Amino acid sequence: MNRDEMLAAYDRQVRISQGERAGRVVRKAAEGGWNSILWSDLDEDTADAEIAAQVAYFTALKRSFEWKLYSHDRPADLAERLSAAGFAADPEETLLAAEAAAMAAEPRLPEGVVLRPAEDPAGIELLMEAHEQAFGMPVPGLRDQLLRRLAERPESMAAVVAMAGDRPISGARVDLDPDTEFAGLFGGGTVVGWRGRGVYRALLAYRARVAVERGYRYLHVDASSESRPILLRLGFVPLGTTTPYVYTP
């Protein structure tokens, strides 16, 4: 599958099929969870009205939401229209994808480091501790989202923590949504002092193996500027960029 075919498959399987169709957008609305516009089919004549409609919808629910804007979305000035409507842009990320089987391997870890699956609330606490130390800030609402997902749909994700003794030094998860060939990679930040020693790559190999075992063909990730060079070296292919635009009522 070439880049354009993979991007088209990503749009169909990850963006369109994983939410509810509402007018000219596909959105995901979840109380206490992630609220987002996943995909849109807009042009210069329909964009402003659709943006206003979604702002009104989520404002009535008293929820912040994210409009995930991709570089191939239309109209070409959709970013400017979102900003004018009161959305705030988060940092741009690169959408990368790869064959899962090509990334799956036995994890190779530094001496003294082991991987612990995060399969219970205690594991999720270790995962959150690793995230907060690695990224230097808490992620509001993420702990509750993951605990709810673990309780209600444990088959839809696999999380893992790298442990150096009793200290969590890195953590990541792979989302395994139904009816798609794409497994989503999230997290992977490593605490200072353990970076550049293969921990990130080991977490990737672990999650790729899980994805292959569960029948997924591809991995996808919204890569930050820190992780993008590593993933490109490993063979991931850039499909474009994505920028979260966040609206807070």
Side-chain angles (χ1 to χ4, degrees), residues 96-237:
L96 301 174
E99 295 271 357
M103 302 296 151
E106 184 68 30
R108 299 176 61 183
L109 291 157
E111 184 177 353
V113 177
V114 298
L115 297 185
R116 170 179 169 171
E119 300 173 328
D120 55 22
I124 296 299
E125 289 301 321
L126 290 172
L127 180 70
M128 297 309 304
E129 184 179 341
H131 279 344
E132 292 177 9
Q133 289 190 30
F135 297 112
M137 65 182 70
V139 183
L142 181 59
R143 176 183 284 100
D144 290 343
Q145 291 177 34
L146 295 183
L147 288 172
R148 185 179 303 108
R149 191 166 186 171
L150 186 67
E152 298 175 357
R153 297 186 297 133
E155 75 289 347
S156 71
M157 75 170 186
V160 62
V161 183
M163 302 290 298
D166 59 359
R167 183 190 181 194
I169 61 169
S170 187
R173 76 180 198 272
V174 55
D175 282 2
L176 305 164
D177 291 316
D179 304 320
T180 173
E181 298 175 285
F182 292 81
L185 302 180
F186 297 89
T190 303
V191 302
V192 175
W194 286 96
R195 296 172 185 170
R197 300 173 64 179
V199 177
Y200 181 92
R201 185 167 184 170
L203 292 177
L204 171 62
Y206 175 94
R207 291 177 290 165
R209 289 179 64 187
V210 170
V212 171
E213 290 167 0
R214 302 281 188 92
Y216 290 82
R217 181 177 178 184
Y218 301 111
L219 303 172
H220 72 90
V221 57
D222 294 344
S224 67
S225 57
E226 290 80 14
S227 61
R228 181 175 61 244
I230 303 171
L231 294 168
L232 290 174
R233 286 197 300 271
L234 292 174
F236 276 73
V237 176

